[in-house]
């Protein structure tokens, strides 16, 4: 395995392309059953350098969807939870997305952005090195993922509509 601290060995490229702009992917966060909390800590990629000034930082998040099924033993009162994928019409599988991250220089840690965000209209293209690092951790990420960078309470963006109205169609029936 190459030594990443050796200046002769090139660093892995932790980038993604979102709407034509490059962003730095700082790490991966895997959760089960539900989306992670705002401000959750991110596991950074091994050979990640400290971010430069003005860098657009993003984290790759994977969520394994499952349904909580809790049973209680009537004799002892003890409860036991199991998680089932795709039960009762719930989503099945793993969803992947990029979401903004923040860096704390004092603790030298990365975390998810503190504001509530949802998926906008953007798709992020992950660099091959990011896919390889996630694969080394035992996950299979797709090359293109949704981007959760849209504020939850903001007005919904609309796709531009192409309208082909002519003068004749506007005046039809009024002649």
């Amino acid at each position: 395995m190459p030594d990443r601290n050796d200046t002769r060995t090139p660093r892995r490229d932790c980038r993604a392309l979102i709407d034509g702009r490059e962003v730095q992917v700082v790490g991966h966060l895997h959760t089960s059953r539900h989306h992670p909390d705002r401000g959750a800590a991110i596991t950074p990629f091994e050979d990640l350098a400290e971010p430069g000034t003005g860098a657009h930082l993003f984290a790759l998040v994977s969520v394994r969807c499952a349904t909580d099924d809790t049973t209680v033993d009537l004799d002892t009162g003890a409860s036991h939870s199991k998680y089932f994928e795709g039960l009762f019409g719930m989503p099945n599988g793993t969803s992947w997305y990029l979401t903004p991250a923040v860096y704390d220089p004092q603790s030298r840690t990365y975390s998810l952005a503190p504001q509530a965000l949802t998926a906008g209209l953007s798709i992020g293209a992950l660099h091959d090195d990011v896919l390889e690092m996630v694969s080394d951790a035992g996950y299979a990420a797709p090359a293109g993922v949704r981007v959760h960078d849209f504020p939850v309470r903001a007005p919904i963006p609309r796709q531009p509509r192409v309208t082909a109205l002519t003068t004749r169609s506007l005046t039809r029936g009024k002649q």
Side-chain angles (χ1 to χ4, degrees):
M1 181 166 181
D3 181 9
R4 297 289 178 198
N5 294 324
D6 185 358
T7 57
R8 295 170 293 179
T9 304
R11 287 187 165 274
R12 290 186 182 185
D13 203 353
C14 302
R15 291 181 296 143
L17 195 62
I18 301 173
D19 294 336
R21 89 183 145 119
E22 284 189 358
V23 298
Q24 184 177 0
V25 182
V26 297
H28 173 237
L29 175 63
H30 179 75
T31 62
S32 184
R33 298 182 329 183
H34 54 78
H35 293 274
D37 294 329
R38 294 177 271 182
I42 300 166
T43 304
F45 293 132
E46 279 184 24
D47 54 353
L48 186 67
E50 288 195 15
T53 306
H56 298 282
L57 306 178
F58 278 77
L60 181 61
V61 177
S62 58
V63 180
R64 183 174 178 200
C65 300
T67 302
D68 180 7
D69 179 34
T70 303
T71 58
V72 178
D73 185 337
L74 297 177
D75 295 330
T76 64
S79 65
H80 179 70
S81 294
K82 291 182 181 178
Y83 298 98
F84 298 95
E85 290 186 12
L87 190 63
F88 306 121
M90 297 299 289
N92 188 10
T94 303
S95 61
W96 292 84
Y97 60 91
L98 285 170
T99 191
V102 293
Y103 177 70
D104 180 12
Q106 291 179 337
S107 64
R108 299 180 72 161
T109 58
Y110 293 92
S111 61
L112 297 180
Q115 65 270 30
L117 301 169
T118 188
L121 301 175
S122 301
I123 300 291
L126 300 174
H127 192 276
D128 289 341
D129 286 347
V130 173
L131 295 173
E132 183 182 326
M133 286 184 276
V134 172
S135 175
D136 290 347
Y139 301 100
V145 295
R146 298 290 305 262
V147 179
H148 284 222
D149 61 349
F150 192 76
V152 170
R153 294 192 179 19
I156 298 172
R158 298 199 182 268
Q159 292 283 0
R161 292 185 184 175
V162 177
T163 55
L165 296 176
T166 62
T167 307
R168 185 168 182 242
S169 65
L170 289 174
T171 59
R172 184 173 294 170
K174 297 180 184 176
Q175 296 175 356

